[in-house]
Amino acid sequence: MSRRSGILEFAVLGLLRESPMHGYELRKRLNTSLGVFRAFSYGTLYPCLKTLVTNGWLIEEASNSPEDALTAPLTGRRAKIVYRLTAEGKEHFEELLSQTGPDAYEDEHFAARFAFFGQTSRDVRMRVLEGRRSRLEERLEKMRASLARTRERLDDYTLELQRHGMESVEREVRWLNELIESERAGRDLRGSASGGSAQQDTTSGATGGLPRSGGTPGTDTPDDTAT
């Protein structure tokens, strides 16, 4: 399995854990909720779904919505297929959620993992955030060293581009520092946003720890071209 397809399978399982969906709904959620998948096509999504069905992690069901029941006989089309997470699929997704290895820190995978932090235990969130921060600090150190070596040979525009890249990484490191501080303090975004007291949640998958500002990084990476 490629890293790219693994990320997509993870996201599909996570979305279907919330509720069953048909393919169009899934693609819409991937596009709108997870920016890293904004250009994924049906040609990419449906093979992924078929693989998950074959593995026993999803099952296919005919849609029983009133709209489909009314239009299918009139148009001659089959009812839409709804994908539902199986017990094995839920167990597999929870296993993926618990992983904190290097893949969890990479740009695209981190964005997908972060999108499902609400279903992730706090200790796992902390390990992923700290791993991501460490990875970016290493990247930032290399960028600074490279810039120091080549500064005199660069024209103004190339130099400005490198500075912009460094500022982007520095900004994400600051954002991660805020997240990690919030997680350690046990702060809950829902409680702070509503003016209520902070909730202490050290084991559940609550969204505690998210600051009120800052977006999910790692979603600017170019995606597959829609077909």
Side-chain angles (χ1 to χ4, degrees):
M1 181 194 304
S2 69
R3 176 178 294 177
R4 187 74 169 178
S5 61
I7 298 170
L8 180 58
E9 290 183 7
F10 172 83
V12 168
L13 291 172
L15 290 175
L16 290 176
R17 190 187 187 194
E18 299 173 4
S19 65
M21 302 181 204
H22 55 69
Y24 175 78
E25 290 175 312
L26 267 172
R27 187 186 179 203
K28 185 176 180 180
R29 288 291 306 278
L30 288 167
N31 291 345
T32 58
S33 301
L34 304 174
V36 68
F37 300 108
R38 62 186 178 275
F40 268 61
S41 66
Y42 286 111
T44 305
L45 176 59
Y46 281 102
C48 171
L49 291 170
K50 294 300 182 184
T51 297
L52 295 176
V53 170
T54 300
N55 289 342
W57 297 329
L58 302 181
I59 57 174
E60 298 177 323
E61 300 175 339
S63 173
N64 58 2
S65 71
E67 180 182 354
D68 287 343
L70 179 64
T71 59
L74 298 176
T75 61
R77 298 176 182 173
R78 294 186 302 171
K80 293 178 181 177
I81 298 298
V82 172
Y83 296 90
R84 182 184 299 274
L85 196 65
T86 64
E88 293 80 5
K90 182 179 179 180
E91 182 179 349
H92 179 63
F93 179 68
E94 290 174 349
E95 179 183 345
L96 294 176
L97 276 181
S98 69
Q99 295 178 2
T100 59
D103 279 351
Y105 317 149
E106 299 301 332
D107 293 344
E108 291 181 354
H109 209 160
F110 174 74
R113 285 297 302 270
F114 189 86
F116 293 99
F117 263 21
Q119 303 180 43
T120 307
S121 63
R122 176 161 285 146
D123 62 326
V124 170
R125 292 198 301 260
M126 281 290 294
R127 288 197 293 271
V128 173
L129 290 171
E130 289 174 340
R132 175 66 175 175
R133 180 176 64 180
S134 177
R135 179 64 51 87
L136 290 182
E137 286 174 340
E138 292 175 3
R139 184 183 302 175
L140 189 58
E141 183 177 350
K142 291 178 181 179
M143 294 172 73
R144 286 170 175 163
S146 176
L147 183 59
R149 290 194 306 268
T150 60
R151 180 187 299 271
E152 300 301 324
R153 301 194 300 270
L154 298 177
D155 63 64
D156 291 344
Y157 293 100
T158 303
L159 185 61
E160 190 63 29
L161 183 62
Q162 292 205 12
R163 286 174 176 164
H164 174 70
M166 287 178 53
E167 289 172 359
S168 297
V169 178
E170 289 169 344
R171 186 162 53 248
E172 185 174 344
V173 170
R174 290 195 297 270
W175 176 74
L176 289 166
N177 286 335
E178 293 175 5
L179 285 170
I180 291 169
E181 180 183 352
S182 295
E183 291 286 352
R184 286 175 177 164
R187 290 197 290 269
D188 193 304
L189 176 63
R190 293 168 300 178
S192 61
S194 62
S197 60
Q199 300 177 15
Q200 295 296 323
D201 170 25
T202 57
T203 58
S204 72
T207 55
L210 300 186
R212 298 177 65 176
S213 62
T216 305
T219 58
D220 295 332
T221 306
D223 300 293
D224 294 347
T225 302
T227 57

